[in-house]
PDB file of all heavy atoms in Angstrom:
ATOM      1  N   LEU B  77     -14.211   8.031  10.492  1.00 98.00           N
ATOM      2  CA  LEU B  77     -13.863   6.809   9.789  1.00 98.00           C
ATOM      3  C   LEU B  77     -14.991   5.791   9.939  1.00 98.00           C
ATOM      4  O   LEU B  77     -15.331   5.479  11.059  1.00 98.00           O
ATOM      5  CB  LEU B  77     -12.566   6.262  10.324  1.00 98.00           C
ATOM      6  CG  LEU B  77     -12.138   4.872   9.780  1.00 98.00           C
ATOM      7  CD1 LEU B  77     -11.674   5.023   8.309  1.00 98.00           C
ATOM      8  CD2 LEU B  77     -11.011   4.292  10.632  1.00 98.00           C
ATOM      9  N   LYS B  78     -15.438   5.286   8.831  1.00 98.00           N
ATOM     10  CA  LYS B  78     -16.442   4.196   8.842  1.00 98.00           C
ATOM     11  C   LYS B  78     -15.806   2.890   8.396  1.00 98.00           C
ATOM     12  O   LYS B  78     -15.163   2.843   7.373  1.00 98.00           O
ATOM     13  CB  LYS B  78     -17.596   4.582   7.973  1.00 98.00           C
ATOM     14  CG  LYS B  78     -18.727   3.522   8.047  1.00 98.00           C
ATOM     15  CD  LYS B  78     -20.027   4.006   7.315  1.00 98.00           C
ATOM     16  CE  LYS B  78     -19.943   3.625   5.866  1.00 98.00           C
ATOM     17  NZ  LYS B  78     -21.290   3.892   5.205  1.00 98.00           N
ATOM     18  N   ILE B  79     -15.957   1.922   9.225  1.00 98.00           N
ATOM     19  CA  ILE B  79     -15.492   0.561   8.950  1.00 98.00           C
ATOM     20  C   ILE B  79     -16.733  -0.287   8.683  1.00 98.00           C
ATOM     21  O   ILE B  79     -17.529  -0.513   9.589  1.00 98.00           O
ATOM     22  CB  ILE B  79     -14.599  -0.045  10.071  1.00 98.00           C
ATOM     23  CG1 ILE B  79     -13.493   0.943  10.470  1.00 98.00           C
ATOM     24  CG2 ILE B  79     -14.096  -1.366   9.681  1.00 98.00           C
ATOM     25  CD1 ILE B  79     -12.669   0.516  11.583  1.00 98.00           C
ATOM     26  N   SER B  80     -16.853  -0.793   7.498  1.00 98.00           N
ATOM     27  CA  SER B  80     -17.975  -1.651   7.137  1.00 98.00           C
ATOM     28  C   SER B  80     -17.575  -3.163   7.268  1.00 98.00           C
ATOM     29  O   SER B  80     -16.360  -3.483   7.131  1.00 98.00           O
ATOM     30  CB  SER B  80     -18.429  -1.403   5.720  1.00 98.00           C
ATOM     31  OG  SER B  80     -18.785  -0.030   5.562  1.00 98.00           O
ATOM     32  N   ASP B  81     -18.576  -4.022   7.530  1.00 98.00           N
ATOM     33  CA  ASP B  81     -18.281  -5.458   7.567  1.00 98.00           C
ATOM     34  C   ASP B  81     -17.036  -5.708   8.447  1.00 98.00           C
ATOM     35  O   ASP B  81     -16.114  -6.307   8.039  1.00 98.00           O
ATOM     36  CB  ASP B  81     -18.044  -5.985   6.200  1.00 98.00           C
ATOM     37  CG  ASP B  81     -17.897  -7.510   6.114  1.00 98.00           C
ATOM     38  OD1 ASP B  81     -18.438  -8.162   7.006  1.00 98.00           O
ATOM     39  OD2 ASP B  81     -17.260  -8.013   5.237  1.00 98.00           O
ATOM     40  N   SER B  82     -17.130  -5.258   9.683  1.00 98.00           N
ATOM     41  CA  SER B  82     -15.995  -5.365  10.623  1.00 98.00           C
ATOM     42  C   SER B  82     -15.479  -6.782  10.770  1.00 98.00           C
ATOM     43  O   SER B  82     -16.259  -7.777  10.784  1.00 98.00           O
ATOM     44  CB  SER B  82     -16.427  -4.852  12.034  1.00 98.00           C
ATOM     45  OG  SER B  82     -16.766  -3.458  11.963  1.00 98.00           O
ATOM     46  N   GLN B  83     -14.186  -6.901  10.822  1.00 98.00           N
ATOM     47  CA  GLN B  83     -13.508  -8.178  10.945  1.00 98.00           C
ATOM     48  C   GLN B  83     -12.690  -8.185  12.202  1.00 98.00           C
ATOM     49  O   GLN B  83     -12.279  -7.137  12.766  1.00 98.00           O
ATOM     50  CB  GLN B  83     -12.639  -8.434   9.732  1.00 98.00           C
ATOM     51  CG  GLN B  83     -13.410  -8.463   8.454  1.00 98.00           C
ATOM     52  CD  GLN B  83     -12.481  -8.570   7.263  1.00 98.00           C
ATOM     53  OE1 GLN B  83     -11.291  -8.694   7.360  1.00 98.00           O
ATOM     54  NE2 GLN B  83     -13.089  -8.605   6.053  1.00 98.00           N
ATOM     55  N   LEU B  84     -12.443  -9.403  12.762  1.00 97.00           N
ATOM     56  CA  LEU B  84     -11.713  -9.534  14.013  1.00 97.00           C
ATOM     57  C   LEU B  84     -10.317  -8.826  13.891  1.00 97.00           C
ATOM     58  O   LEU B  84      -9.776  -8.256  14.820  1.00 97.00           O
ATOM     59  CB  LEU B  84     -11.531 -10.971  14.349  1.00 97.00           C
ATOM     60  CG  LEU B  84     -12.795 -11.750  14.648  1.00 97.00           C
ATOM     61  CD1 LEU B  84     -12.478 -13.227  14.953  1.00 97.00           C
ATOM     62  CD2 LEU B  84     -13.577 -11.116  15.828  1.00 97.00           C
ATOM     63  N   GLY B  85      -9.766  -8.878  12.674  1.00 96.00           N
ATOM     64  CA  GLY B  85      -8.444  -8.231  12.467  1.00 96.00           C
ATOM     65  C   GLY B  85      -8.471  -6.754  12.498  1.00 96.00           C
ATOM     66  O   GLY B  85      -7.404  -6.104  12.450  1.00 96.00           O
ATOM     67  N   ASP B  86      -9.692  -6.129  12.548  1.00 97.00           N
ATOM     68  CA  ASP B  86      -9.778  -4.655  12.688  1.00 97.00           C
ATOM     69  C   ASP B  86      -9.560  -4.256  14.082  1.00 97.00           C
ATOM     70  O   ASP B  86      -9.461  -3.047  14.390  1.00 97.00           O
ATOM     71  CB  ASP B  86     -11.149  -4.248  12.218  1.00 97.00           C
ATOM     72  CG  ASP B  86     -11.389  -4.504  10.717  1.00 97.00           C
ATOM     73  OD1 ASP B  86     -10.389  -4.563   9.961  1.00 97.00           O
ATOM     74  OD2 ASP B  86     -12.580  -4.654  10.287  1.00 97.00           O
ATOM     75  N   THR B  87      -9.540  -5.156  15.044  1.00 97.00           N
ATOM     76  CA  THR B  87      -9.321  -4.811  16.463  1.00 97.00           C
ATOM     77  C   THR B  87      -7.904  -4.135  16.557  1.00 97.00           C
ATOM     78  O   THR B  87      -6.889  -4.729  16.190  1.00 97.00           O
ATOM     79  CB  THR B  87      -9.352  -6.036  17.328  1.00 97.00           C
ATOM     80  OG1 THR B  87     -10.631  -6.571  17.369  1.00 97.00           O
ATOM     81  CG2 THR B  87      -8.866  -5.760  18.752  1.00 97.00           C
ATOM     82  N   ALA B  88      -7.943  -2.874  17.056  1.00 97.00           N
ATOM     83  CA  ALA B  88      -6.692  -2.049  17.073  1.00 97.00           C
ATOM     84  C   ALA B  88      -7.039  -0.759  17.725  1.00 97.00           C
ATOM     85  O   ALA B  88      -8.164  -0.425  18.016  1.00 97.00           O
ATOM     86  CB  ALA B  88      -6.176  -1.837  15.642  1.00 97.00           C
ATOM     87  N   MET B  89      -5.954   0.019  17.929  1.00 97.00           N
ATOM     88  CA  MET B  89      -6.135   1.381  18.335  1.00 97.00           C
ATOM     89  C   MET B  89      -6.046   2.237  17.035  1.00 97.00           C
ATOM     90  O   MET B  89      -5.126   2.018  16.207  1.00 97.00           O
ATOM     91  CB  MET B  89      -5.037   1.807  19.295  1.00 97.00           C
ATOM     92  CG  MET B  89      -5.290   3.157  19.987  1.00 97.00           C
ATOM     93  SD  MET B  89      -4.342   3.290  21.486  1.00 97.00           S
ATOM     94  CE  MET B  89      -4.988   4.775  22.212  1.00 97.00           C
ATOM     95  N   TYR B  90      -7.005   3.147  16.840  1.00 98.00           N
ATOM     96  CA  TYR B  90      -7.037   3.959  15.640  1.00 98.00           C
ATOM     97  C   TYR B  90      -6.732   5.448  16.002  1.00 98.00           C
ATOM     98  O   TYR B  90      -7.282   6.005  16.928  1.00 98.00           O
ATOM     99  CB  TYR B  90      -8.433   3.840  14.993  1.00 98.00           C
ATOM    100  CG  TYR B  90      -8.672   2.518  14.326  1.00 98.00           C
ATOM    101  CD1 TYR B  90      -9.040   1.380  15.051  1.00 98.00           C
ATOM    102  CD2 TYR B  90      -8.464   2.389  12.954  1.00 98.00           C
ATOM    103  CE1 TYR B  90      -9.231   0.162  14.460  1.00 98.00           C
ATOM    104  CE2 TYR B  90      -8.707   1.173  12.334  1.00 98.00           C
ATOM    105  CZ  TYR B  90      -9.059   0.069  13.076  1.00 98.00           C
ATOM    106  OH  TYR B  90      -9.266  -1.154  12.496  1.00 98.00           O
ATOM    107  N   PHE B  91      -5.846   5.979  15.190  1.00 98.00           N
ATOM    108  CA  PHE B  91      -5.440   7.350  15.397  1.00 98.00           C
ATOM    109  C   PHE B  91      -5.747   8.192  14.189  1.00 98.00           C
ATOM    110  O   PHE B  91      -5.515   7.828  13.021  1.00 98.00           O
ATOM    111  CB  PHE B  91      -3.883   7.440  15.583  1.00 98.00           C
ATOM    112  CG  PHE B  91      -3.419   6.859  16.903  1.00 98.00           C
ATOM    113  CD1 PHE B  91      -2.923   5.553  16.873  1.00 98.00           C
ATOM    114  CD2 PHE B  91      -3.502   7.549  18.079  1.00 98.00           C
ATOM    115  CE1 PHE B  91      -2.453   5.008  18.061  1.00 98.00           C
ATOM    116  CE2 PHE B  91      -3.103   6.962  19.278  1.00 98.00           C
ATOM    117  CZ  PHE B  91      -2.511   5.683  19.225  1.00 98.00           C
ATOM    118  N   CYS B  92      -6.377   9.333  14.475  1.00 98.00           N
ATOM    119  CA  CYS B  92      -6.653  10.367  13.432  1.00 98.00           C
ATOM    120  C   CYS B  92      -5.471  11.268  13.472  1.00 98.00           C
ATOM    121  O   CYS B  92      -4.952  11.613  14.552  1.00 98.00           O
ATOM    122  CB  CYS B  92      -7.965  11.074  13.766  1.00 98.00           C
ATOM    123  SG  CYS B  92      -8.388  12.422  12.700  1.00 98.00           S
ATOM    124  N   ALA B  93      -5.047  11.745  12.316  1.00 96.00           N
ATOM    125  CA  ALA B  93      -3.839  12.579  12.238  1.00 96.00           C
ATOM    126  C   ALA B  93      -3.997  13.719  11.219  1.00 96.00           C
ATOM    127  O   ALA B  93      -4.652  13.498  10.154  1.00 96.00           O
ATOM    128  CB  ALA B  93      -2.578  11.800  11.940  1.00 96.00           C
ATOM    129  N   PHE B  94      -3.400  14.850  11.517  1.00 95.00           N
ATOM    130  CA  PHE B  94      -3.501  15.998  10.682  1.00 95.00           C
ATOM    131  C   PHE B  94      -2.062  16.402  10.188  1.00 95.00           C
ATOM    132  O   PHE B  94      -1.117  16.325  10.984  1.00 95.00           O
ATOM    133  CB  PHE B  94      -4.066  17.219  11.515  1.00 95.00           C
ATOM    134  CG  PHE B  94      -4.024  18.551  10.806  1.00 95.00           C
ATOM    135  CD1 PHE B  94      -5.247  19.054  10.243  1.00 95.00           C
ATOM    136  CD2 PHE B  94      -2.923  19.299  10.797  1.00 95.00           C
ATOM    137  CE1 PHE B  94      -5.229  20.249   9.624  1.00 95.00           C
ATOM    138  CE2 PHE B  94      -2.892  20.596  10.148  1.00 95.00           C
ATOM    139  CZ  PHE B  94      -4.085  21.027   9.618  1.00 95.00           C
ATOM    140  N   MET B  95      -1.910  16.839   8.948  1.00 93.00           N
ATOM    141  CA  MET B  95      -0.656  17.256   8.411  1.00 93.00           C
ATOM    142  C   MET B  95      -0.857  18.490   7.576  1.00 93.00           C
ATOM    143  O   MET B  95      -1.697  18.537   6.679  1.00 93.00           O
ATOM    144  CB  MET B  95      -0.011  16.189   7.578  1.00 93.00           C
ATOM    145  CG  MET B  95       1.370  16.529   7.067  1.00 93.00           C
ATOM    146  SD  MET B  95       2.199  15.201   6.142  1.00 93.00           S
ATOM    147  CE  MET B  95       1.355  15.353   4.576  1.00 93.00           C
ATOM    148  N   LYS B  96      -0.118  19.540   7.942  1.00 89.00           N
ATOM    149  CA  LYS B  96      -0.216  20.775   7.087  1.00 89.00           C
ATOM    150  C   LYS B  96       0.457  20.495   5.752  1.00 89.00           C
ATOM    151  O   LYS B  96       1.344  19.640   5.653  1.00 89.00           O
ATOM    152  CB  LYS B  96       0.582  21.894   7.818  1.00 89.00           C
ATOM    153  CG  LYS B  96      -0.122  22.451   8.999  1.00 89.00           C
ATOM    154  CD  LYS B  96       0.376  23.835   9.374  1.00 89.00           C
ATOM    155  CE  LYS B  96       1.788  23.829   9.866  1.00 89.00           C
ATOM    156  NZ  LYS B  96       2.298  25.157  10.284  1.00 89.00           N
ATOM    157  N   HIS B  97       0.044  21.303   4.762  1.00 83.00           N
ATOM    158  CA  HIS B  97       0.664  21.161   3.410  1.00 83.00           C
ATOM    159  C   HIS B  97       1.957  21.934   3.485  1.00 83.00           C
ATOM    160  O   HIS B  97       2.042  23.111   3.212  1.00 83.00           O
ATOM    161  CB  HIS B  97      -0.307  21.743   2.398  1.00 83.00           C
ATOM    162  CG  HIS B  97       0.206  21.696   1.033  1.00 83.00           C
ATOM    163  ND1 HIS B  97       0.368  20.458   0.334  1.00 83.00           N
ATOM    164  CD2 HIS B  97       0.684  22.562   0.141  1.00 83.00           C
ATOM    165  CE1 HIS B  97       0.896  20.696  -0.866  1.00 83.00           C
ATOM    166  NE2 HIS B  97       0.993  21.915  -0.995  1.00 83.00           N
ATOM    167  N   GLU B  98       3.026  21.216   3.837  1.00 72.00           N
ATOM    168  CA  GLU B  98       4.352  21.911   3.832  1.00 72.00           C
ATOM    169  C   GLU B  98       5.328  20.767   3.592  1.00 72.00           C
ATOM    170  O   GLU B  98       5.026  19.615   3.555  1.00 72.00           O
ATOM    171  CB  GLU B  98       4.578  22.534   5.243  1.00 72.00           C
ATOM    172  CG  GLU B  98       4.566  21.588   6.403  1.00 72.00           C
ATOM    173  CD  GLU B  98       4.780  22.189   7.708  1.00 72.00           C
ATOM    174  OE1 GLU B  98       4.533  23.427   7.819  1.00 72.00           O
ATOM    175  OE2 GLU B  98       5.299  21.516   8.635  1.00 72.00           O
ATOM    176  N   THR B  99       6.627  21.126   3.522  1.00 62.00           N
ATOM    177  CA  THR B  99       7.605  20.136   3.174  1.00 62.00           C
ATOM    178  C   THR B  99       8.006  19.154   4.326  1.00 62.00           C
ATOM    179  O   THR B  99       8.417  18.069   4.105  1.00 62.00           O
ATOM    180  CB  THR B  99       8.922  20.853   2.741  1.00 62.00           C
ATOM    181  OG1 THR B  99       9.366  21.720   3.812  1.00 62.00           O
ATOM    182  CG2 THR B  99       8.625  21.687   1.454  1.00 62.00           C
ATOM    183  N   GLU B 100       7.863  19.622   5.577  1.00 76.00           N
ATOM    184  CA  GLU B 100       8.370  18.796   6.680  1.00 76.00           C
ATOM    185  C   GLU B 100       7.452  17.564   6.952  1.00 76.00           C
ATOM    186  O   GLU B 100       7.923  16.554   7.291  1.00 76.00           O
ATOM    187  CB  GLU B 100       8.433  19.660   7.935  1.00 76.00           C
ATOM    188  CG  GLU B 100       9.167  18.947   9.091  1.00 76.00           C
ATOM    189  CD  GLU B 100       9.370  19.832  10.278  1.00 76.00           C
ATOM    190  OE1 GLU B 100       8.344  20.236  10.945  1.00 76.00           O
ATOM    191  OE2 GLU B 100      10.481  20.218  10.538  1.00 76.00           O
ATOM    192  N   GLY B 101       6.190  17.705   6.839  1.00 85.00           N
ATOM    193  CA  GLY B 101       5.233  16.601   7.023  1.00 85.00           C
ATOM    194  C   GLY B 101       5.034  16.194   8.405  1.00 85.00           C
ATOM    195  O   GLY B 101       4.804  14.982   8.687  1.00 85.00           O
ATOM    196  N   LYS B 102       5.125  17.025   9.414  1.00 89.00           N
ATOM    197  CA  LYS B 102       4.881  16.703  10.804  1.00 89.00           C
ATOM    198  C   LYS B 102       3.420  16.358  11.056  1.00 89.00           C
ATOM    199  O   LYS B 102       2.518  17.062  10.524  1.00 89.00           O
ATOM    200  CB  LYS B 102       5.334  17.887  11.685  1.00 89.00           C
ATOM    201  CG  LYS B 102       5.382  17.525  13.176  1.00 89.00           C
ATOM    202  CD  LYS B 102       5.795  18.716  13.958  1.00 89.00           C
ATOM    203  CE  LYS B 102       7.241  19.162  13.719  1.00 89.00           C
ATOM    204  NZ  LYS B 102       7.597  20.212  14.755  1.00 89.00           N
ATOM    205  N   LEU B 103       3.179  15.306  11.773  1.00 93.00           N
ATOM    206  CA  LEU B 103       1.775  14.908  12.063  1.00 93.00           C
ATOM    207  C   LEU B 103       1.379  15.298  13.442  1.00 93.00           C
ATOM    208  O   LEU B 103       2.127  15.289  14.378  1.00 93.00           O
ATOM    209  CB  LEU B 103       1.668  13.381  11.994  1.00 93.00           C
ATOM    210  CG  LEU B 103       1.761  12.699  10.607  1.00 93.00           C
ATOM    211  CD1 LEU B 103       1.819  11.174  10.724  1.00 93.00           C
ATOM    212  CD2 LEU B 103       0.498  13.099   9.776  1.00 93.00           C
ATOM    213  N   THR B 104       0.090  15.721  13.544  1.00 93.00           N
ATOM    214  CA  THR B 104      -0.549  15.965  14.859  1.00 93.00           C
ATOM    215  C   THR B 104      -1.565  14.854  15.077  1.00 93.00           C
ATOM    216  O   THR B 104      -2.487  14.708  14.244  1.00 93.00           O
ATOM    217  CB  THR B 104      -1.237  17.346  14.881  1.00 93.00           C
ATOM    218  OG1 THR B 104      -0.267  18.394  14.624  1.00 93.00           O
ATOM    219  CG2 THR B 104      -1.826  17.546  16.243  1.00 93.00           C
ATOM    220  N   PHE B 105      -1.407  14.056  16.098  1.00 96.00           N
ATOM    221  CA  PHE B 105      -2.259  12.892  16.325  1.00 96.00           C
ATOM    222  C   PHE B 105      -3.340  13.193  17.342  1.00 96.00           C
ATOM    223  O   PHE B 105      -3.166  14.031  18.230  1.00 96.00           O
ATOM    224  CB  PHE B 105      -1.461  11.768  16.907  1.00 96.00           C
ATOM    225  CG  PHE B 105      -0.605  11.052  15.884  1.00 96.00           C
ATOM    226  CD1 PHE B 105       0.765  11.385  15.769  1.00 96.00           C
ATOM    227  CD2 PHE B 105      -1.145  10.043  15.089  1.00 96.00           C
ATOM    228  CE1 PHE B 105       1.537  10.709  14.793  1.00 96.00           C
ATOM    229  CE2 PHE B 105      -0.314   9.437  14.173  1.00 96.00           C
ATOM    230  CZ  PHE B 105       0.979   9.758  14.042  1.00 96.00           C
ATOM    231  N   GLY B 106      -4.440  12.549  17.177  1.00 97.00           N
ATOM    232  CA  GLY B 106      -5.483  12.535  18.230  1.00 97.00           C
ATOM    233  C   GLY B 106      -5.126  11.579  19.296  1.00 97.00           C
ATOM    234  O   GLY B 106      -4.060  10.911  19.252  1.00 97.00           O
ATOM    235  N   GLN B 107      -5.965  11.470  20.303  1.00 96.00           N
ATOM    236  CA  GLN B 107      -5.660  10.674  21.458  1.00 96.00           C
ATOM    237  C   GLN B 107      -5.804   9.171  21.193  1.00 96.00           C
ATOM    238  O   GLN B 107      -5.336   8.347  21.981  1.00 96.00           O
ATOM    239  CB  GLN B 107      -6.594  11.048  22.666  1.00 96.00           C
ATOM    240  CG  GLN B 107      -6.566  12.462  23.019  1.00 96.00           C
ATOM    241  CD  GLN B 107      -7.609  13.294  22.285  1.00 96.00           C
ATOM    242  OE1 GLN B 107      -7.913  13.024  21.087  1.00 96.00           O
ATOM    243  NE2 GLN B 107      -8.158  14.242  22.978  1.00 96.00           N
ATOM    244  N   GLY B 108      -6.515   8.818  20.136  1.00 97.00           N
ATOM    245  CA  GLY B 108      -6.668   7.425  19.801  1.00 97.00           C
ATOM    246  C   GLY B 108      -8.009   6.849  20.286  1.00 97.00           C
ATOM    247  O   GLY B 108      -8.521   7.300  21.310  1.00 97.00           O
ATOM    248  N   THR B 109      -8.498   5.882  19.562  1.00 98.00           N
ATOM    249  CA  THR B 109      -9.740   5.154  19.932  1.00 98.00           C
ATOM    250  C   THR B 109      -9.383   3.649  19.862  1.00 98.00           C
ATOM    251  O   THR B 109      -8.912   3.172  18.801  1.00 98.00           O
ATOM    252  CB  THR B 109     -10.944   5.433  18.994  1.00 98.00           C
ATOM    253  OG1 THR B 109     -11.249   6.783  19.077  1.00 98.00           O
ATOM    254  CG2 THR B 109     -12.089   4.598  19.337  1.00 98.00           C
ATOM    255  N   ILE B 110      -9.599   2.961  20.946  1.00 97.00           N
ATOM    256  CA  ILE B 110      -9.378   1.517  20.976  1.00 97.00           C
ATOM    257  C   ILE B 110     -10.674   0.873  20.483  1.00 97.00           C
ATOM    258  O   ILE B 110     -11.747   0.981  21.087  1.00 97.00           O
ATOM    259  CB  ILE B 110      -9.063   1.007  22.392  1.00 97.00           C
ATOM    260  CG1 ILE B 110      -7.783   1.669  22.896  1.00 97.00           C
ATOM    261  CG2 ILE B 110      -8.964  -0.533  22.422  1.00 97.00           C
ATOM    262  CD1 ILE B 110      -7.480   1.384  24.341  1.00 97.00           C
ATOM    263  N   LEU B 111     -10.560   0.182  19.343  1.00 98.00           N
ATOM    264  CA  LEU B 111     -11.727  -0.544  18.795  1.00 98.00           C
ATOM    265  C   LEU B 111     -11.535  -2.037  18.953  1.00 98.00           C
ATOM    266  O   LEU B 111     -10.488  -2.598  18.657  1.00 98.00           O
ATOM    267  CB  LEU B 111     -11.771  -0.282  17.301  1.00 98.00           C
ATOM    268  CG  LEU B 111     -12.908  -1.070  16.550  1.00 98.00           C
ATOM    269  CD1 LEU B 111     -14.321  -0.585  16.975  1.00 98.00           C
ATOM    270  CD2 LEU B 111     -12.735  -0.920  15.073  1.00 98.00           C
TER     271      LEU B 111
END
Side-chain angles (χ1 to χ4, degrees):
Chain B
L77 174 70
K78 185 171 84 171
I79 305 174
S80 304
D81 187 25
S82 297
Q83 300 176 0
L84 296 178
D86 295 334
T87 292
M89 193 159 188
Y90 287 80
F91 293 99
C92 177
F94 173 101
M95 183 176 79
K96 288 199 294 184
H97 181 69
E98 62 180 26
T99 58
E100 189 174 71
K102 191 181 291 189
L103 288 171
T104 301
F105 284 97
Q107 304 92 322
T109 297
I110 298 172
L111 175 67

